[in-house]
Amino acid sequence: MAVLGINLVKDGLRYCVLEGSKDAPVLVHFEKVQTNNFPNTQQLMNWYETTFQNLITRFSPETIGIKVSLNAKKAEITPWYYPLGILHNLSHQNQINTFEFVSGNFTPSKFGMNKSIDIYDYIDQHFGVFQPKWDRNQKYALLAAWMNLI
């Protein structure tokens, strides 16, 4: 079953879909999705609802992992926190479990690795490097999905 990982960023979101097991994760898809310049919060939230529903319909995830940021500045509150309510509601309606993580949760030991391993370098070695979008924000989405594989 697919696991969807989501990382909300100021100008949209990053997502990643994994299958397989925690020991042998398989990258199915990843993407950077940018928002348009919406004139108000209502239209922005409508975009998030449509985008989340499209991801759920396309990938039928069993679980959704969400990377959460805890130190938003005022301008980041709307794009980082408001969509979380929409995502949780859609997950509830579609009977999908959700789990939230912060960057501090993404340690090598959570993936059965030695503590000396740099988890972000390991991602490049295991999954590959996909420039230009393969940055830390994209890796957060991957790690949020990977944390939910069994």
Side-chain angles (χ1 to χ4, degrees), residues 70-104:
L70 300 178
N71 53 356
K73 296 177 181 159
K74 183 179 178 184
E76 297 161 335
I77 290 172
T78 299
W80 285 6
Y81 300 143
Y82 292 5
L84 289 177
I86 294 168
L87 180 57
H88 282 287
N89 187 41
L90 288 172
S91 298
H92 174 72
Q93 291 172 357
N94 289 283
Q95 300 178 332
I96 301 169
N97 293 319
T98 58
F99 298 93
E100 295 179 346
F101 306 98
V102 296
S103 60

Side-chain angles (χ1 to χ4, degrees), residues 1-3 18-20 59-62 149:
M1 290 297 268
V3 175
L18 296 179
E19 290 184 342
F59 296 108
S60 301
E62 179 178 294
L149 289 176

Side-chain angles (χ1 to χ4, degrees), residues 39-92:
N40 58 51
T41 302
Q42 293 87 353
Q43 289 181 351
L44 178 62
M45 294 307 111
N46 185 56
W47 178 87
Y48 274 107
E49 182 176 12
T50 301
T51 300
F52 291 148
Q53 187 59 58
N54 288 341
L55 291 174
I56 289 169
T57 300
R58 181 176 176 189
F59 296 108
S60 301
E62 179 178 294
T63 306
I64 298 175
I66 307 162
K67 191 272 185 182
V68 179
S69 296
L70 300 178
N71 53 356
K73 296 177 181 159
K74 183 179 178 184
E76 297 161 335
I77 290 172
T78 299
W80 285 6
Y81 300 143
Y82 292 5
L84 289 177
I86 294 168
L87 180 57
H88 282 287
N89 187 41
L90 288 172
S91 298
H92 174 72

Side-chain angles (χ1 to χ4, degrees), residues 8-150:
L8 297 172
V9 293
K10 189 175 178 180
D11 60 349
L13 62 96
R14 305 294 185 92
Y15 74 88
C16 183
V17 180
L18 296 179
E19 290 184 342
S21 66
K22 187 165 268 188
D23 293 336
V26 176
L27 179 62
V28 174
H29 191 77
F30 74 94
E31 191 170 357
K32 175 182 179 180
V33 184
Q34 289 189 277
T35 60
N36 293 323
N37 240 350
F38 293 105
N40 58 51
T41 302
Q42 293 87 353
Q43 289 181 351
L44 178 62
M45 294 307 111
N46 185 56
W47 178 87
Y48 274 107
E49 182 176 12
T50 301
T51 300
F52 291 148
Q53 187 59 58
N54 288 341
L55 291 174
I56 289 169
T57 300
R58 181 176 176 189
F59 296 108
S60 301
E62 179 178 294
T63 306
I64 298 175
I66 307 162
K67 191 272 185 182
V68 179
S69 296
L70 300 178
N71 53 356
K73 296 177 181 159
K74 183 179 178 184
E76 297 161 335
I77 290 172
T78 299
W80 285 6
Y81 300 143
Y82 292 5
L84 289 177
I86 294 168
L87 180 57
H88 282 287
N89 187 41
L90 288 172
S91 298
H92 174 72
Q93 291 172 357
N94 289 283
Q95 300 178 332
I96 301 169
N97 293 319
T98 58
F99 298 93
E100 295 179 346
F101 306 98
V102 296
S103 60
N105 295 126
F106 302 138
T107 61
S109 62
K110 300 282 179 152
F111 303 97
M113 298 177 208
N114 186 313
K115 291 181 180 180
S116 64
I117 293 176
D118 182 318
I119 193 71
Y120 301 98
D121 290 342
Y122 181 84
I123 288 172
D124 292 341
Q125 295 165 8
H126 181 81
F127 296 98
V129 177
F130 308 96
Q131 294 299 335
K133 302 174 189 172
W134 203 246
D135 59 8
R136 191 159 286 225
N137 281 324
Q138 192 65 55
K139 291 177 182 178
Y140 284 152
L142 185 144
L143 290 166
W146 195 0
M147 289 285 283
N148 286 296
L149 289 176
I150 298 173

